């Protein structure tokens, strides 16, 4: 009930559904790897049924296979960037996110029932699986310009002191400074997804782990243009390898 964007996504699907043929529907279910546009991100015809998401009655591997429907079997996400790339995210962040979803602390009518059905052991195994995958490389799924990316880079690396907006890179990279392992890495993530998260934070509709509150004052002070610029900048980056220290 916190996420009207999810409601409208379902409405859009239901409006489109009567026009879909079998091939188009299967493509929506399985998807394609956004990196090269051809390799399936989950093996076609072998996706685990969603009924496998039944706590200890399902295996962690079957849950991973079902995760691939939205996040890609390789963790590289899906074409439009509706669901985030999970590959290469730190284990602690992935685990904390799933726990937050299961407790209703991070809001999503899609993710909450999935996370609730998973045991703690399965949660850890799924987080471990995606954390070990190769991180995403630079992608540009959104129209962008060099000027917008430069503005975004300035916000990410220098902040906006006059508006009391801190440096994004201190918590999310890029850089080699030690960072809290429960903070997400943003480099290579879809700009549309990042923009949505900032918008949800600004409207106090996202929720999250115990650290989510740190983002609310930041998102409140960003203009829509600044949100878009910093999202485009992070989308254009390849992911650096930064070992967690705490």
């Amino acid at each position: 009930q916190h996420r009207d964007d999810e409601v409208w996504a379902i409405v859009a699907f239901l409006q489109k559904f009567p026009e879909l043929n079998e091939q188009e529907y299967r493509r929506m279910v399985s998807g394609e790897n956004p990196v090269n546009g051809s390799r399936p991100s989950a093996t076609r015809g072998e996706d685990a049924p969603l009924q496998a998401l039944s706590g200890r009655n399902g295996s962690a591997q079957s849950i991973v296979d079902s995760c691939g429907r939205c996040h890609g079997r390789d963790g590289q996400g899906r074409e439009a960037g509706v669901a985030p790339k999970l590959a290469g995210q730190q284990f602690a962040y992935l685990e904390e996110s799933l726990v937050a979803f299961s407790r209703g602390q991070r809001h999503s009518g899609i993710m909450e029932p999935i996370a609730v059905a998973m045991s703690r052991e399965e949660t850890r195994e799924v987080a471990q699986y995606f954390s070990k995958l190769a991180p995403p490389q630079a992608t540009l799924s959104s129209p962008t310009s060099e000027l917008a990316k430069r503005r975004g880079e300035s916000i990410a690396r220098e902040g906006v002191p006059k508006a009391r907006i801190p440096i994004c890179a201190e918590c999310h990279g890029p850089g080699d400074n030690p960072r809290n392992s429960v903070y997400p890495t943003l480099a290579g993530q879809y700009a549309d997804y990042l923009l949505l998260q900032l918008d949800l934070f600004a409207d106090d509709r996202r929720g999250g782990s115990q650290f989510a509150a740190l983002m609310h004052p930041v998102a409140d002070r960003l203009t829509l243009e600044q949100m878009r610029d910093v999202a485009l900048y992070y989308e254009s980056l390849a992911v650096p390898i930064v070992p967690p220290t705490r």
Side-chain angles (χ1 to χ4, degrees), residues 39-68:
R39 181 169 59 85
S41 45
T43 304
R44 295 183 188 277
E46 298 181 4
D47 294 328
L50 293 181
Q51 289 87 343
L53 298 176
S54 55
R56 295 188 181 278
N57 294 324
S59 69
Q61 186 59 50
S62 69
I63 295 174
V64 166
D65 290 338
S66 291
C67 296

Side-chain angles (χ1 to χ4, degrees), residues 151-169 222 226:
R151 291 195 303 257
E153 181 177 12
S154 176
I155 295 171
R157 294 185 176 275
E158 302 173 16
V160 186
K162 291 183 179 180
R164 294 184 297 154
I165 296 172
I167 298 171
C168 307
L222 288 166
Q226 289 172 327

